[in-house]
Amino acid sequence: MTSRPTTAEIAAAQDRTIPDVVPPRGGVLLCGINPGLYSAATGWHFARPGNRFWPALHRSGFTDRLLTPDEQRLLPAYGLGITNLAARATATAAELTRAELEEGGALLEEFVRRHAPRVVAVLGVTAYRTAFGRPKARIGPQEAMLGGARTWILPNPSGLNAHYTAETLAGEFRVLRKAAGPVTT
């Protein structure tokens, strides 16, 4: 990974967006809540040191080695892609409005219809509940499909999510990987 952004660069990243990494048709689309300022400053998803996304991806078997955020372009070769419910970068996801998350849910459904992943996994149960009006949703597979894809909820990999250790987070990712089956690229 290249050098870390400065404090000024992070502060200047407010409201920036990060391009999606489009999965291959029939792949798995991982959907974060929204980019943090650190990620927006770098242009890479889940870039903040301490975020457990990349280690969970590797420990679960989705990737054969630990990728770094600046290698996100390699994800389609693993049958994966990344997007966000809300595109706008914020210091915390709590800054997003209900309307932004609901709009993001509608946009995600359009994205899924256009790119046809087999599975969509939203990384954050509270954001999923808000975006899709499903207040009782829990981690794991969902009955409701999204844009023709199976829907799954994974825990938010942020280091702020103290409910999950690195191992239990990787375990949830592993359950999804096994359920998703082989991905053709």
Side-chain angles (χ1 to χ4, degrees), residues 52 55-62 139-140 152-155 164-179:
R52 300 169 298 174
L57 214 55
H58 173 60
R59 287 180 181 168
S60 68
F62 270 115
I139 299 294
W152 204 278
I153 302 174
L154 288 172
Y164 286 87
T165 66
E167 280 309 311
T168 58
L169 182 66
E172 293 292 345
F173 274 62
R174 191 175 302 110
V175 172
L176 168 61
R177 183 188 53 79
K178 288 179 180 178

Side-chain angles (χ1 to χ4, degrees), residues 78-102:
Y78 291 99
L80 304 170
I82 304 176
T83 191
N84 288 291
L85 274 174
R88 179 173 70 94
T90 60
T92 68
E95 296 174 45
L96 297 172
T97 66
R98 172 178 289 281
E100 282 178 291
L101 289 171
E102 290 171 348

Side-chain angles (χ1 to χ4, degrees), residues 5 9-10 12-19 34-48 87-90:
E9 289 169 330
I10 292 170
Q14 186 77 34
D15 299 328
R16 281 194 194 155
T17 61
I18 299 176
N34 75 310
L37 297 179
Y38 194 100
S39 287
T42 65
W44 304 314
H45 295 272
F46 301 104
R48 181 175 266 307
R88 179 173 70 94
T90 60

Side-chain angles (χ1 to χ4, degrees), residues 20-32 81-85 103-122 128 132 144-152:
D20 297 320
V21 177
V22 178
R25 294 182 89 68
V28 175
L29 177 63
L30 301 160
C31 180
I82 304 176
T83 191
N84 288 291
L85 274 174
E103 178 185 9
L107 292 172
L108 177 61
E109 187 163 8
E110 290 175 24
F111 183 94
V112 171
R113 287 189 194 288
R114 189 170 53 252
H115 296 290
R118 185 173 62 235
V119 178
V120 176
V122 176
Y128 176 88
F132 298 101
M145 301 281 280
L146 181 66
R150 289 177 57 198
T151 308
W152 204 278

Side-chain angles (χ1 to χ4, degrees), residues 126-146:
T126 303
Y128 176 88
R129 289 172 179 161
T130 302
F132 298 101
R134 300 191 185 279
K136 295 182 181 182
R138 301 218 181 279
I139 299 294
Q142 305 303 299
E143 287 184 28
M145 301 281 280
L146 181 66

